[in-house]
C-alpha cells in the first residue's frame, strides 16, 4: 500500500477532512488510480464464477492433443479448459507473438508466419503443417480468423483432424448471411426486410437501397464482429459504404460479397446462445444483451437482458433452436436478433463459433461452453435438457480495449504495457486476457486488452462489482477505454435499462468527454492532488537517508497551494499529520495525471508563490493545424487520393488508414491546394504522423 490520502493529508479549504478513508492511492508511474474497497452484499450468496461449475468427468475420453488456431485471450481461454480436461495443447503464433501468454501456457508452440494475419493466423497451409508436425487430433478455432471458414474445416477433415465447431454444411449455410436469411425464412424465423442476393457494384447498391428505402445496412456476407458493416442514409453514403465494406470484408474474411437490408433505427441487439450435438439435440442457453456498441462492435454485454419478459425470451429461444436444427447444428453458436421497442424481434445473423461475450452466459448457467464444444466434437450427446438451463444471478462484461475513447468512442492505441494488474482479487470478478506486463499491443491485431466480467445475485450487484473492478484495474503504457466503460455502467439510462444500439451517440452527441465532476468529487480530486504534491515535496528533502536542501520548509503545519484543473485555478490549503505518504512521479513544473472515477485528469499544482510568479511566464502559442492532416491513430495507409497541386474541398477524402482491420477515411479540414503528400499506400504510420499538407 503506498499510503492513505484521507486522514494523513486533508483538504482544509473545504472545512472538513477527506470523507473516504477506505479509498487508497496506488502508485503507477506518473498516473495514479483511486481505488475503491469492493462492495459485498451480506444478504446475497457471493458467487465467484471462474470457468464453470460443471466438473469434468475423468473417464469421458475426448482428445489427447488440441491445437488452438488463434491467439490472445481466446487462445488462453481454450487452453484453461483443456488443462482442466487433461488435454495437451498446441499454440500457433506469428513471429511477433513468440513471447505471448498463450504461447507460454500451451504445451507446444509453432510459429506459422510473420505478423500480418494473412501470412500467419489466416495461413491455412502453415497451420495444417503445424497440425501434422505436432500430431494434434483436433483444432479449436476460437473466434475470428478461420473460425467460420468452411474451407479450413474441409482441410481438417481431409487430414482426419476434428474441427471443434459445426460441420461444413452449417458453416456454409449460417456463415453466409444471404443463405442464412433464406434458411431462416424457411424455418419460420422472423427476418429483416432486404435484398436476398449479392450486391454486384456501387451502382446496384444505390438502386437496391432506394428500393428498400433509407436508411439501409450494408454488410459483408461472410462477415462478423462489426467488420465490413456500414449504415447508409443516402446515395453518397451507400457508394462509400459499398467501397469500404467490401475492402474490409476482403481484408478480414477473404470474401468481399455484400448484402443490403433495411436498417432498424433504435433497436436493441439481443442474441441467443445455442448448443447442439450430433444426435439431433439442441438447447437455447438464454440471451445476452449486447446493445452498447460503437461502430457496430459490442462494448458492454450482459446476461440476462433487462428488457425481455419470459414469453419473449422463450419465443426467441425457440426460433433460435429451430434455425439450429434446420442445419443440423452441432456445437456452440449464437443467433443474433434486433429487437424493437415493442419487443418485435428480427433475425440478424448466426455466428457459427464461440462468441467473444460467452463468459456472461457461463456465469448465469454454470456451463463451460468450451468444454461442451469439445464433448460435442468428440460425439457425446448433450448432458442437459432445456428445463435444466437456469438463469442464476446476473453477469456483465466490459471489453477493455487499447483505444482512445475520446476519439470517435475508441480509436486504436499501440504500445507496450509498462504496468498491468487485473482486479481478480475482488469477489465475483473474472478476467479473460492474454497479456501480461511487457506485452505489446500492435497494429496487426484486435486492440482488445481483456474481457472484464462481474457476477452478482442481481443486476445491481453485478454493476456495482463492475464499477469496483474498473476502479481497481491498473493499465499503463497504452491508452485504454476504462473511462468510457465506467461512465456507461453508472449512466442513469443504462442502469434503468433504457437504452438501444444508439446509446453512445445519444448520450454523448459531441463525443465522449470523460466524467463530469460534482462539487464533492472535485474537492476530493483537489485533496488527492495536493496530498500527492506535498508528499513528494517532503520526500524530496531526503535522499538515501541524507537530508537535502529543502524545497519547502519541513516545519510548516500547512501549505498554501494553487491547483489548476480544467483551466480553473483553485486555492487549496493542505495540512499534514502522520508519516504515511505515497510516492509520486510527475512532470517538472507541477503537472501530474490522476485517474479518478475512471477518468484521467491533468492537474497543475504549484505553491502559492510559484503560482504568482508563473503568471509572468509566456504561454506557448497553439500550433495551427488547419493546413495539415495527421494520422489520428497508428495504422497502415491503404490508399492516397490526392497528389501535390490538387485542389481539395473541405470534407473530401484524402487517404484511407487501416487500423486493427477497420478502415478509416481521412478527410480535408478545409478547402485548399495540396502542398505535399507524406505517405503512400502500404506505409505504416503512427499517431500524429503528418500525412498531407495544404498550402
Amino acid at each position: 500500500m503506498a499510503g492513505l490520502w484521507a486522514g494523513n493529508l486533508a483538504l482544509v479549504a473545504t472545512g472538513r477532512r477527506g470523507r473516504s478513508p477506505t479509498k487508497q492511492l496506488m502508485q503507477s508511474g506518473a498516473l495514479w488510480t483511486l481505488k475503491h474497497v469492493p462492495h459485498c452484499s451480506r444478504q446475497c450468496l457471493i458467487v465467484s464464477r471462474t470457468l464453470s461449475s460443471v466438473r469434468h468427468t475423468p473417464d469421458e475420453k475426448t482428445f489427447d492433443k488440441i491445437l488452438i488456431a488463434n491467439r490472445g485471450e481466446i487462445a488462453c481461454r481454450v487452453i484453461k479448459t483443456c488443462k482442466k480436461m487433461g488435454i495437451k495443447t498446441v499454440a500457433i503464433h506469428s513471429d511477433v507473438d513468440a513471447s505471448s501468454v498463450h504461447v507460454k501456457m500451451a504445451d507446444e508452440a509453432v510459429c506459422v508466419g510473420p505478423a500480418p494475419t494473412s501470412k500467419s493466423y489466416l495461413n491455412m497451409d502453415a497451420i495444417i503443417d503445424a497440425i501434422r508436425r505436432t500430431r494434434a487430433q483436433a483444432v479449436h478455432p476460437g473466434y475470428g480468423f478461420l473460425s467460420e471458414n468452411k474451407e479450413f474445416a474441409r482441410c481438417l477433415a481431409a487430414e482426419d483432424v476434428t474441427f471443434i465447431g459445426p460441420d461444413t454444411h452449417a458453416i456454409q449455410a449460417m456463415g453466409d448471411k444471404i443463405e442464412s436469411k433464406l434458411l431462416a425464412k424457411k424455418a419460420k424465423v422472423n427476418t429483416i426486410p432486404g435484398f436476398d442476393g449479392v450486391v454486384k457494384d456501387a451502382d446496384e447498391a444505390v438502386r437496391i437501397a432506394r428500393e428498400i428505402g433509407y436508411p439501409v445496412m450494408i454488410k459483408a456476407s461472410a462477415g462478423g464482429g462489426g467488420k465490413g458493416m456500414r449504415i447508409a442514409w443516402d446515395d453518397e453514403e451507400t457508394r462509400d459504404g459499398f467501397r469500404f465494406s467490401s475492402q474490409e470484408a476482403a481484408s478480414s474474411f477473404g470474401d468481399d460479397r455484400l448484402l443490403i437490408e433495411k436498417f432498424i433505427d433504435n433497436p436493441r441487439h439481443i442474441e441467443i446462445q445455442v448448443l447442439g450435438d450430433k444426435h439431433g439435440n439442441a438447447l437455447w442457453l438464454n440471451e445476452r444483451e449486447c446493445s452498447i456498441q460503437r461502430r457496430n462492435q459490442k462494448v458492454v454485454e450482459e446476461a440476462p437482458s433487462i428488457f425481455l419478459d419470459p414469453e419473449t425470451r422463450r419465443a426467441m429461444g425457440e426460433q433460435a433452436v429451430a434455425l439450429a436444427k434446420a442445419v443440423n447444428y452441432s456445437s456452440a453458436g449464437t443467433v443474433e436478433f434486433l429487437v424493437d421497442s415493442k419487443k418485435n424481434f428480427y433475425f440478424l445473423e448466426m455466428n457459427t463459433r464461440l462468441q467473444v461475450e460467452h463468459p456472461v452466459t457461463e456465469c448465469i448457467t454454470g456451463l463451460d461452453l468450451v468444454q461442451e464444444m469439445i464433448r460435442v466434437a468428440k460425439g457425446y450427446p448433450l448432458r442437459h435438457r432445456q428445463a435444466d438451463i437456469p438463469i442464476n444471478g446476473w453477469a456483465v462484461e466490459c471489453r477493455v480495449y487499447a483505444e482512445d475513447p475520446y476519439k470517435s468512442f475508441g480509436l486504436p492505441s499501440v504500445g507496450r504495457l509498462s504496468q498491468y494488474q487485473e482486479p481478480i482479487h475482488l469477489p465475483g470478478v473474472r478476467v479473460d486476457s492474454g497479456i501480461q506486463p511487457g506485452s505489446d499491443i500492435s497494429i496487426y491485431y484486435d486492440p482488445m486488452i481483456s474481457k472484464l466480467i462481474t457476477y452478482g445475485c442481481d443486476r445491481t450487484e453485478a454493476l456495482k462489482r463492475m464499477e469496483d473492478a474498473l476502479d481497481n484495474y491498473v493499465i499503463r503504457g497504452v491508452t485504454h477505454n476504462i473511462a468510457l466503460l465506467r461512465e456507461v455502467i453508472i449512466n442513469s439510462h443504462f442502469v434503468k435499462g433504457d437504452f438501444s444500439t444508439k446509446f453512445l451517440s445519444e448520450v454523448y452527441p459531441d463525443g465522449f468527454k470523460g466524467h463530469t465532476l460534482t462539487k464533492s468529487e472535485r474537492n476530493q480530486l483537489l485533496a488527492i492532488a495536493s496530498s500527492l504534491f506535498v508528499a513528494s515535496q517532503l520526500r524530496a528533502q531526503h535522499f538515501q537517508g541524507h537530508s537535502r536542501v529543502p524545497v519547502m520548509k519541513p516545519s510548516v503545519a500547512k501549505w498554501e497551494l494553487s491547483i489548476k484543473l480544467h483551466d480553473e485555478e483553485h486555492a487549496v490549503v493542505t495540512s499534514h499529520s502522520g508519516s504515511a505518504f505515497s510516492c509520486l512521479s510527475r512532470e517538472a513544473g507541477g503537472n501530474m495525471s490522476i485517474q479518478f472515477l475512471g477518468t484521467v485528469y491533468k492537474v497543475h499544482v504549484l505553491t502559492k508563490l510559484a503560482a504568482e510568479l508563473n503568471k509572468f511566464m509566456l504561454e506557448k502559442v497553439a500550433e495551427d493545424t488547419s493546413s495539415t492532416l495527421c494520422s489520428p491513430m497508428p495504422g497502415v495507409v491503404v490508399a492516397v487520393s490526392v497528389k501535390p497541386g490538387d485542389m481539395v474541398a473541405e470534407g473530401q477524402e484524402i487517404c484511407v488508414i487501416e487500423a486493427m482491420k477497420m478502415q478509416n477515411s481521412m478527410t480535408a479540414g478545409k478547402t485548399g491546394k495540396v502542398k505535399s503528400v507524406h505517405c503512400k499506400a502500404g506505409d505504416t504510420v503512427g499517431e500524429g504522423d503528418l500525412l498531407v499538407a495544404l498550402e
Side-chain angles (χ1 to χ4, degrees):
M1 223 74 74
L4 296 177
W5 68 266
N8 292 323
L9 290 166
L11 183 64
V12 178
T14 64
R16 62 184 182 275
R17 297 174 69 86
R19 285 193 169 185
S20 301
T22 58
K23 297 179 181 179
Q24 301 167 343
L25 290 169
M26 297 272 307
Q27 182 185 7
S28 184
L31 190 62
W32 289 74
T33 305
L34 187 69
K35 298 182 66 178
H36 290 263
V37 168
H39 164 76
C40 180
S41 171
R42 296 182 180 180
Q43 304 297 325
C44 181
L45 175 66
I46 298 174
V47 181
S48 181
R49 301 285 178 108
T50 52
L51 285 180
S52 174
S53 62
V54 178
R55 294 183 178 180
H56 169 60
T57 305
D59 58 352
E60 193 174 72
K61 180 68 175 177
T62 54
F63 303 100
D64 296 323
K65 185 184 293 186
I66 292 176
L67 181 142
I68 297 97
N70 217 297
R71 65 179 299 278
E73 65 88 10
I74 189 58
C76 295
R77 165 69 186 88
V78 175
I79 292 172
K80 288 178 183 177
T81 289
C82 288
K83 287 183 180 295
K84 180 178 69 174
M85 298 177 70
I87 302 171
K88 292 183 178 180
T89 55
V90 179
I92 62 168
H93 64 89
S94 64
D95 53 7
V96 298
D97 273 347
S99 299
S100 293
V101 175
H102 78 282
V103 173
K104 297 177 181 178
M105 287 181 64
D107 297 293
E108 301 175 59
V110 179
C111 182
V112 290
T117 56
S118 61
K119 299 179 180 180
S120 52
Y121 296 103
L122 291 174
N123 187 344
M124 284 191 278
D125 290 340
I127 295 172
I128 294 296
D129 182 63
I131 294 169
R132 292 169 180 160
R133 289 163 56 190
T134 59
R135 297 183 180 180
Q137 299 168 325
V139 172
H140 196 299
Y143 55 75
F145 295 134
L146 298 172
S147 62
E148 296 177 284
N149 189 302
K150 62 182 181 296
E151 295 303 324
F152 182 56
R154 287 195 184 113
C155 288
L156 294 180
E159 295 287 328
D160 197 25
V161 173
T162 301
F163 179 76
I164 301 177
D167 61 25
T168 55
H169 167 66
I171 296 174
Q172 166 66 38
M174 292 292 99
D176 188 307
K177 290 182 173 60
I178 297 171
E179 187 176 350
S180 67
K181 189 172 180 180
L182 295 174
L183 283 166
K185 285 183 177 180
K186 188 176 180 180
K188 294 182 170 39
V189 177
N190 304 341
T191 58
I192 301 172
F195 177 69
D196 299 329
V198 178
V199 183
K200 298 177 182 178
D201 52 39
D203 290 336
E204 185 178 37
V206 170
R207 179 182 61 78
I208 294 170
R210 288 176 178 175
E211 291 175 357
I212 296 173
Y214 288 110
V216 297
M217 173 68 82
I218 304 168
K219 58 185 181 181
S221 176
K227 297 179 175 66
M229 298 176 67
R230 290 290 191 282
I231 300 169
W233 295 81
D234 54 39
D235 291 356
E236 183 180 354
E237 290 186 359
T238 298
R239 293 183 184 279
D240 289 342
F242 180 88
R243 177 163 63 97
F244 286 123
S245 292
S246 59
Q247 290 173 353
E248 286 179 4
S251 174
S252 298
F253 315 112
D255 185 343
D256 63 358
R257 293 176 302 142
L258 301 177
L259 60 87
I260 298 179
E261 60 190 19
K262 181 69 177 177
F263 174 66
I264 299 177
D265 205 11
N266 289 322
R268 299 178 82 107
H269 185 135
I270 301 176
E271 60 192 28
I272 301 292
Q273 175 72 57
V274 295
L275 181 65
D277 63 21
K278 301 179 187 297
H279 305 274
N281 303 307
L283 304 170
W284 51 276
L285 308 181
N286 303 311
E287 79 280 3
R288 294 187 288 258
E289 171 77 68
C290 309
S291 297
I292 307 302
Q293 305 179 1
R294 52 99 178 91
R295 297 191 300 277
N296 299 309
Q297 289 183 310
K298 303 161 190 172
V299 179
V300 178
E301 301 103 346
E302 60 182 307
S305 169
I306 193 174
F307 185 65
L308 294 190
D309 53 61
E311 292 75 21
T312 307
R313 174 179 296 115
R314 185 182 304 107
M316 294 175 69
E318 289 174 351
Q319 287 198 17
V321 166
L323 183 59
K325 287 187 174 181
V327 291
N328 298 317
Y329 196 84
S330 57
S331 190
T334 298
V335 181
E336 300 190 348
F337 294 94
L338 292 181
V339 185
D340 67 19
S341 59
K342 297 181 180 179
K343 294 186 171 64
N344 297 311
F345 56 91
Y346 305 93
F347 171 70
L348 183 62
E349 64 183 11
M350 182 176 188
N351 292 312
T352 58
R353 53 171 168 78
L354 192 65
Q355 289 281 84
V356 175
E357 58 274 17
H358 75 274
V360 292
T361 296
E362 294 183 324
C363 285
I364 68 167
T365 63
L367 297 178
D368 181 335
L369 293 182
V370 174
Q371 181 178 341
E372 297 303 322
M373 293 177 74
I374 293 172
R375 291 186 67 259
V376 167
K378 187 61 178 177
Y380 290 106
L382 298 180
R383 295 181 286 182
H384 310 282
R385 298 173 301 172
Q386 190 62 58
D388 299 330
I389 305 303
I391 297 181
N392 289 329
W394 211 285
V396 180
E397 175 180 292
C398 285
R399 299 192 187 189
V400 182
Y401 282 106
E403 292 181 338
D404 186 346
Y406 301 95
K407 297 179 179 178
S408 301
F409 299 112
L411 291 185
S413 169
V414 299
R416 176 167 294 176
L417 290 167
S418 57
Q419 189 173 358
Y420 183 73
Q421 181 178 337
E422 297 172 349
I424 53 177
H425 61 287
L426 301 179
V429 173
R430 165 179 167 177
V431 181
D432 283 15
S433 68
I435 58 173
Q436 60 188 357
S439 291
D440 287 316
I441 307 296
S442 75
I443 64 172
Y444 297 105
Y445 311 116
D446 188 273
M448 181 185 289
I449 293 174
S450 73
K451 300 180 310 197
L452 176 63
I453 306 102
T454 56
Y455 175 83
C457 60
D458 55 27
R459 191 170 187 263
T460 299
E461 184 170 57
L463 289 177
K464 177 56 182 171
R465 286 178 168 175
M466 180 60 73
E467 183 182 348
D468 293 338
L470 290 168
D471 285 340
N472 281 266
Y473 210 145
V474 179
I475 303 172
R476 304 292 179 263
V478 297
T479 305
H480 54 75
N481 67 333
I482 282 181
L484 175 63
L485 296 172
R486 193 184 190 281
E487 288 303 295
V488 168
I489 66 165
I490 67 171
N491 180 273
S492 59
H493 291 286
F494 180 79
V495 172
K496 290 185 295 185
D498 179 20
F499 54 85
S500 72
T501 56
K502 297 179 69 176
F503 175 86
L504 290 179
S505 60
E506 289 178 345
V507 175
Y508 309 106
D510 300 320
F512 180 66
K513 306 297 182 184
H515 181 71
T516 301
L517 294 170
T518 64
K519 183 177 180 180
S520 174
E521 291 168 347
R522 183 202 65 188
N523 288 339
Q524 288 186 57
L525 180 57
L526 294 176
I528 294 168
S530 61
S531 300
L532 291 173
F533 178 81
V534 172
S536 67
Q537 294 296 320
L538 292 176
R539 181 171 285 112
Q541 296 175 12
H542 298 276
F543 180 69
Q544 290 186 347
H546 299 285
S547 298
R548 303 176 66 184
V549 177
V551 178
M552 305 172 67
K553 294 181 179 180
S555 60
V556 298
K558 61 182 180 181
W559 292 267
E560 295 183 347
L561 304 176
S562 175
I563 302 179
K564 190 173 184 180
L565 172 67
H566 292 156
D567 295 324
E568 293 183 358
E569 293 189 1
H570 303 270
V572 177
V573 178
T574 304
S575 64
H576 165 246
S577 64
S579 59
F581 299 103
S582 51
C583 300
L584 174 68
S585 296
R586 59 186 178 88
E587 297 178 14
N591 293 310
M592 66 176 76
S593 296
I594 301 175
Q595 184 170 313
F596 178 64
L597 301 178
T599 296
V600 176
Y601 295 92
K602 296 186 181 299
V603 296
H604 189 205
V605 186
L606 295 173
T607 62
K608 182 179 179 181
L609 175 60
E612 292 175 352
L613 296 175
N614 192 58
K615 296 177 182 178
F616 299 100
M617 299 291 290
L618 295 176
E619 292 188 8
K620 183 179 179 180
V621 179
E623 182 183 359
D624 179 14
T625 59
S626 62
S627 298
T628 58
L629 176 64
C630 297
S631 178
M633 77 208 88
V636 177
V637 179
V638 175
V640 179
S641 308
V642 298
K643 62 182 183 300
D646 286 353
M647 290 297 299
V648 295
E650 182 178 354
Q652 179 179 333
E653 181 177 291
I654 299 295
C655 63
V656 177
I657 304 292
E658 181 178 287
M660 280 79 171
K661 297 301 177 183
M662 297 294 289
Q663 295 196 356
N664 304 271
S665 176
M666 304 291 104
T667 59
K670 70 174 186 178
T671 299
K673 181 183 288 188
V674 176
K675 179 181 179 181
S676 57
V677 177
H678 298 266
C679 63
K680 63 181 183 300
D683 284 355
T684 298
V685 295
E687 181 179 352
D689 285 0
L690 179 63
L691 303 174
V692 174
L694 304 180
E695 291 183 353

